[in-house]
Amino acid sequence: MDERCKIYHEMIDELDESYRLMHEYDSMIHDYGTAVLYQAESKIIHLVGEKPGVTAVELSAILRKTPSACSQILRKLRRKGWIEQTRNVDNNREYNLNLTPEGWAIYEGHNQFEQRCYKRTYHNLGSFSDEQLQTYVEIQKKLNETFIQDVEESRETSANKKPESSHN
């Protein structure tokens, strides 16, 4: 294996580790000072705080999740009293989402936590030049182009197929 290929494999191994850590982080519950919630819940609270009046359909498009997946989380957040929905006066079939006062407190706690994370990461990358960071962005974009192709190929080849069950 040539040196470039070795570097590529090391890069992909590090990317896999990043994915594992992000998956672990997203699966954890997080304490934002006023409430403990999952990352998926905090993402929705954050988006509703950033875009008051957003609809469930708009949220699902932003998050690239199915409307039913977003609806499940929204139901939980409404039951907990963190999000409220009101009928859209211009479109009777839509509901606009807003944070309750308790939801705004969670939003603020989440923002403070997120800013600490961004600051920590920003400082940790301080030894890299602007050019090196830009190169990383360009490399990640190229990787993402390939990942999109991988996803599309997997969808095409696995459409309507079910995994074989293992026989013990």
Side-chain angles (χ1 to χ4, degrees):
M1 183 180 317
D2 68 12
E3 190 60 28
R4 183 177 176 92
C5 193
K6 287 178 186 175
I7 294 169
Y8 165 75
H9 282 270
E10 183 180 356
M11 186 174 69
I12 295 301
D13 289 345
E14 289 299 324
L15 186 61
D16 286 343
E17 177 63 5
S18 295
Y19 173 78
R20 186 194 67 75
L21 290 167
M22 285 187 271
H23 180 73
E24 180 180 348
Y25 180 84
D26 283 349
S27 301
M28 297 170 67
I29 56 172
H30 299 273
D31 185 346
Y32 297 117
T34 58
V36 175
L37 58 160
Y38 286 98
Q39 187 69 3
E41 295 170 324
S42 67
K43 282 181 184 178
I44 287 184
I45 286 178
H46 177 79
L47 284 170
V48 173
E50 292 293 309
K51 300 174 179 294
V54 69
T55 66
V57 171
E58 292 168 334
L59 276 179
S60 66
I62 293 166
L63 294 169
R64 296 181 181 166
K65 293 188 180 274
T66 64
S68 71
C70 280
S71 291
Q72 286 179 351
I73 298 169
L74 285 169
R75 260 192 305 281
K76 287 182 191 176
L77 297 175
R78 283 195 320 269
R79 272 197 312 266
K80 293 178 180 183
W82 299 338
I83 285 185
E84 59 190 3
Q85 66 180 26
T86 55
R87 194 175 295 276
N88 184 326
V89 293
D90 297 326
N91 182 344
N92 212 22
R93 295 181 341 184
E94 283 186 343
Y95 288 91
N96 298 103
L97 304 167
N98 291 288
L99 298 178
T100 63
E102 193 174 347
W104 279 110
I106 294 166
Y107 171 85
E108 289 301 325
H110 175 264
N111 272 351
Q112 290 171 11
F113 176 80
E114 196 170 63
Q115 291 308 310
R116 288 192 304 274
C117 292
Y118 287 155
K119 187 176 183 179
R120 181 173 38 249
T121 303
Y122 180 80
H123 287 295
N124 197 31
L125 296 174
S127 63
F128 294 98
S129 69
D130 292 353
E131 293 78 19
Q132 288 174 308
L133 293 176
Q134 189 57 49
T135 298
Y136 171 80
V137 170
E138 291 169 20
I139 291 169
Q140 190 61 57
K141 285 180 179 180
K142 282 295 182 188
L143 286 171
N144 289 345
E145 287 175 14
T146 307
F147 295 157
I148 289 168
Q149 292 172 351
D150 295 345
V151 168
E152 289 171 355
E153 181 180 334
S154 291
R155 278 190 184 129
E156 290 170 8
T157 58
S158 64
N160 300 317
K161 292 183 182 175
K162 294 183 180 175
E164 294 180 25
S165 61
S166 61
H167 301 288
N168 293 334

